[in-house]
DNA sequence: AAGGTGACCGGCC
DNA sequence: TGGCCGGCCACCT
């Protein structure tokens, strides 16, 4: 049942699922790919539902500062950080170290 | 149907 | 990236 609203969410999920292992991206980057760079908030909202799905690695999505703003929404307080460090990403004080190095630019399709 | 909300971003001080 | 303000768009009650 692909309704218009679900379609938007699916867009975010599709991009998030394409995030390579050991890489992260920002909400604004995803929103930009979706065509609405200013609706980054909506991406976060979509992620809110996305984190409920195991198909979407929401832990690889952070804000443009490389800060784990959404870690508070995870099951555990430091679960998000644990997952990122598990992928080789260094996180200190909820902030990704060398964020630019692990940053991955999302794309709609290949 | 309308209002409030939100895991943000960009600009300015 | 320190802090504050406005914008923007879809979801929820």
């Amino acid at each position: 049942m692909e309704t218009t609203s679900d379609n938007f969410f699916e867009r975010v999920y599709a991009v998030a699922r394409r995030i390579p292992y050991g890489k992260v991206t920002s909400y604004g980057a995803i929103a930009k790919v979706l065509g609405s760079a200013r609706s980054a908030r909506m991406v976060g909202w979509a992620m809110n539902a996305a984190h409920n799905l195991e198909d979407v690695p929401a832990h690889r999505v952070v804000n443009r500062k490389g800060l784990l703003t959404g870690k508070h929404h995870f099951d555990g307080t430091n679960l998000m950080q644990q997952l990122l460090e598990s992928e080789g990403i260094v996180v200190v004080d909820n902030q990704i170290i060398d964020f630019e190095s692990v940053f991955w630019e999302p794309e709609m399709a290949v």
Side-chain angles (χ1 to χ4, degrees):
Chain A
M1 298 59 91
E2 287 76 341
T3 55
T4 42
S5 44
D6 285 322
N7 196 334
F8 188 90
F9 271 46
E10 284 296 319
R11 300 284 170 189
V12 184
Y13 302 155
V15 177
R17 273 181 285 208
R18 271 153 213 176
I19 304 178
Y21 181 90
K23 295 280 184 171
V24 293
T25 189
S26 57
Y27 303 94
I30 299 177
K32 193 175 197 170
V33 174
L34 295 179
S36 302
R38 295 171 186 182
S39 51
R41 293 170 118 180
M42 201 60 266
V43 179
W45 197 264
M47 280 304 176
N48 187 21
H51 94 77
N52 218 5
L53 310 174
E54 298 182 6
D55 295 322
V56 183
H59 63 273
R60 290 185 192 156
V61 184
V62 295
N63 66 350
R64 69 174 184 95
K65 299 181 218 168
L67 200 71
L68 279 54
T69 50
K71 75 138 191 179
H72 213 44
H73 286 263
F74 274 76
D75 202 29
T77 330
N78 50 341
L79 175 62
M80 189 173 182
Q81 180 171 340
Q82 296 279 309
L83 290 170
L84 291 173
E85 291 186 318
S86 183
E87 298 190 1
I89 301 175
V90 186
V91 181
V92 178
D93 191 33
N94 302 330
Q95 160 133 14
I96 297 179
I97 306 303
D98 204 357
F99 177 57
E100 301 177 53
S101 265
V102 295
F103 182 78
W104 174 80
E105 187 179 353
E107 38 186 273
M108 283 291 272
V110 269

